[in-house]
Each structure stands twice: as C-alpha cells, then as structure tokens.
Amino acid sequence: MIRYIVKMFRALNANANPGEIAHAFSIAVLLGFLPKNNLLWYLLFIFFLFVRINKGAYFILMFLFSMIAPLADPVFNSVGYKILTLPALESTFSTLIEIPFVGFTRFNNTIVMGSLLCGIILYIPVYIFGRAFVKIWRTVIASRIRKNPVMKAFYKLPLVDKFRNLASGD
C-alpha cells in the first residue's frame, strides 16, 4: 500500500500527464462505488488494469471510495430501482438475464445498477476535478508543503528518509 501512495505522490509531483491521474480518479470512483461481489466489478477491474492510468491513484482512491460507498447505498438503491423498473427497458433486461453468465454481473440488483449509473454519471465531473486538482497541487500546494518548516523537519526523520529511499529505488 505504501508503494501505491508513493507512486501517486510521485506522479502528482512529476511531469506525468494530468489526464492519466484524472482518469484514475474517475475510474476509482466508478469501481469504488460498485459492490465487489459480482462479475461486472471483476471484469471492469481487470480491463482498467490495462488502461494507461496512474495505478497508485487508482488503487488508493478505489479503496477510499469503497469505504464511502456504503453510505451512498440508499441513493444507489433508489436510482437502480428507477432504472430497473422503467417499462421501456423491461424487454432489454429480460433478454439480458437469459444470456448465460450475464446474470453473474448482477446488473439486476438495484444497488449494482444504481452504483454503476452513478459512477458513469460522475465520471466527467470527477475527471474535471482531478485535472484541476493536479494543476492546483503542482502550482500551489506542493511548493507550500516543501517550504513548510514542519515538513522540512519531518523529512529529516530517519524513518521518513528510509521511505524516501525506498520510493526512489535506491
């Protein structure tokens, strides 16, 4: 876990593409909201491992949003119920459930459908927020942290120095 934290901060401070970090934020929200007990989550997780994103931000934020997701389950439940009970989509869902292995995705679960839809809807706003965050981090926050006397003293601690050496690969 420490390695992913180091990778995320290294990417934030380096000249890494802000879009890769922002996409990692968005994908982490999408997968963090989805329940982990279905085939859909595993398929998306594996697929996104092959996409060019910052893996450190991806894993850390996915873990954090997984912790927050149960608080939003009532919202996901109501959104999923509204989608699954739409008369126009009834025949589509009936056809999908009859296809072998599609039922393992549990798309017919209100929380799965609601969290997937909410994650898709939030993808663009989270992406925009992620790009803005990276820009603000690089121009304002990082320089203030480096100049802070408390952080300068923190970096001189022996344990922190060991983690910095571990992160740099020395």
Side-chain angles (χ1 to χ4, degrees):
M1 186 65 134
I2 292 174
R3 185 178 310 257
Y4 294 121
I5 293 171
V6 169
K7 281 184 180 182
M8 184 176 78
F9 281 111
R10 195 183 287 166
L12 282 173
N13 294 321
N15 200 14
N17 185 353
E20 290 179 11
I21 300 169
H23 278 300
F25 284 17
S26 298
I27 293 168
V29 168
L30 177 70
L31 286 179
F33 283 168
L34 270 172
K36 314 303 179 267
N37 62 349
N38 61 67
L39 182 64
L40 180 64
W41 188 88
Y42 290 105
L43 290 173
L44 289 174
F45 178 77
I46 298 295
F47 173 75
F48 289 131
L49 285 178
F50 294 106
V51 175
R52 177 175 265 174
I53 57 173
N54 182 275
K55 301 296 191 269
Y58 171 60
F59 287 119
I60 291 169
L61 293 172
M62 185 173 46
F63 175 75
L64 291 175
F65 281 104
S66 293
M67 298 293 118
I68 297 170
L71 300 174
D73 276 352
V75 173
F76 298 153
N77 187 37
S78 64
V79 170
Y81 182 78
K82 287 179 183 173
I83 294 299
L84 290 172
T85 56
L86 283 175
L89 295 175
E90 185 177 320
S91 64
T92 304
F93 292 142
S94 297
T95 305
L96 281 175
I97 200 69
E98 292 175 6
I99 298 173
F101 298 108
V102 173
F104 293 128
T105 62
R106 294 193 182 180
F107 74 90
N108 56 341
N109 183 314
T110 57
I111 293 179
V112 172
M113 181 59 76
S115 62
L116 178 65
L117 187 63
C118 289
I120 291 170
I121 290 170
L122 288 174
Y123 193 94
I124 300 286
V126 171
Y127 177 82
I128 293 168
F129 169 79
R131 287 204 60 125
F133 175 76
V134 170
K135 184 177 181 179
I136 291 169
W137 177 272
R138 289 179 178 172
T139 57
V140 178
I141 298 171
S143 63
R144 288 186 181 171
I145 288 174
R146 278 188 225 110
K147 293 176 185 176
N148 189 330
V150 174
M151 289 307 292
K152 287 181 182 179
F154 177 72
Y155 285 138
K156 292 181 182 178
L157 293 174
L159 184 63
V160 174
D161 191 41
K162 286 183 183 181
F163 280 121
R164 289 178 77 185
N165 288 338
L166 176 71
S168 64
D170 296 339

